[in-house]
Amino acid sequence: MIKALPTLYRGITYRSRLEATWAYFFDRIGFKYHYEMEGFKINDLCYLPDFFLPEQDTWIEIKPKRPTKQERLKIASLLIELIKSGSESNVGILYGRPWIDEQAPEYIYLNFYPLLGTLEVDGKIYHITAENITLEHIEDDEQIFVQCQRCNQIGLDSVAIHYPDKFGGYHGFSGCCDNPGTTTPYGDRLLAAYKKATNKKWWSSFQ
């Protein structure tokens, strides 16, 4: 098994170069974050998410490649525990490196969300609440970072909207500033951040 290489960045030793790279990327796009801020106990197992983004109220796990079923179940279980505790925090898995080319991104952010409320399945009505929610009521959406072409704000949006042929063929609208279609995955701030974060020399000055 190949071990990840710990990397020092801004006084914090990250468990892998990939985690440090995402921290650097967050800095470049102006996202505040905390590394390994808090641990959770889920089904008698301890779980320490890699990042917490306070302004987005989101817990994020970093993976080098598409997560396994067990990895997805773990963070879905975290979302259930948060919901049951009364928290409205989001959870997600960010896998791959922060890079994008003309074809598609090399990363995907899996945004997990609950199916709360009244659902109809095969003619039956179900009322899903924080008290009775289970893993079968957790879905996920593949997202990427996008930039508004009017206000330059950076956020996350469904990848299928911007790459309908490559990711599921979903055609929709991505909006900001009350105007649909204004966001792009190729904003200047994003492209600059991708370029700097994937430069192999960026971390050398922090060792």
Side-chain angles (χ1 to χ4, degrees), residues 68-87:
T68 64
K69 180 179 180 180
Q70 286 303 113
E71 290 169 340
R72 295 167 76 109
L73 286 175
K74 182 185 290 186
I75 202 159
S77 298
L78 171 60
L79 179 56
I80 289 178
E81 292 301 313
L82 291 170
I83 291 171
K84 290 182 178 296
S85 71
S87 171

Side-chain angles (χ1 to χ4, degrees), residues 103-123:
Q103 304 301 317
E106 286 191 9
Y107 72 91
I108 289 292
Y109 174 69
L110 282 177
N111 174 56
F112 288 72
Y113 60 92
L115 299 176
L116 292 171
T118 301
L119 300 177
E120 182 177 353
V121 180
D122 297 329

Side-chain angles (χ1 to χ4, degrees), residues 38-125:
E38 184 177 346
F40 299 89
K41 193 170 185 180
I42 304 174
N43 300 324
D44 297 325
L45 295 176
C46 293
Y47 183 32
L48 183 62
D50 294 320
F51 288 97
F52 178 67
L53 308 183
E55 294 179 340
Q56 289 73 28
D57 194 11
T58 299
W59 299 92
I60 293 179
E61 187 75 10
I62 303 294
K63 297 296 179 184
K65 57 185 179 180
R66 179 175 287 275
T68 64
K69 180 179 180 180
Q70 286 303 113
E71 290 169 340
R72 295 167 76 109
L73 286 175
K74 182 185 290 186
I75 202 159
S77 298
L78 171 60
L79 179 56
I80 289 178
E81 292 301 313
L82 291 170
I83 291 171
K84 290 182 178 296
S85 71
S87 171
E88 297 183 357
S89 295
N90 305 303
V91 302
I93 298 176
L94 189 55
Y95 67 91
R97 67 171 190 149
W99 181 254
I100 194 169
D101 58 26
E102 296 81 2
Q103 304 301 317
E106 286 191 9
Y107 72 91
I108 289 292
Y109 174 69
L110 282 177
N111 174 56
F112 288 72
Y113 60 92
L115 299 176
L116 292 171
T118 301
L119 300 177
E120 182 177 353
V121 180
D122 297 329
K124 294 183 178 180
I125 302 298

Side-chain angles (χ1 to χ4, degrees), residues 19 97-98 100 113 136 139 141 155 161 164-165 172 178 191 202:
E19 290 178 355
R97 67 171 190 149
I100 194 169
Y113 60 92
E136 65 180 328
E139 299 285 344
D141 180 36
I161 291 177
D165 296 330
D178 298 322
L191 293 180
W202 71 259

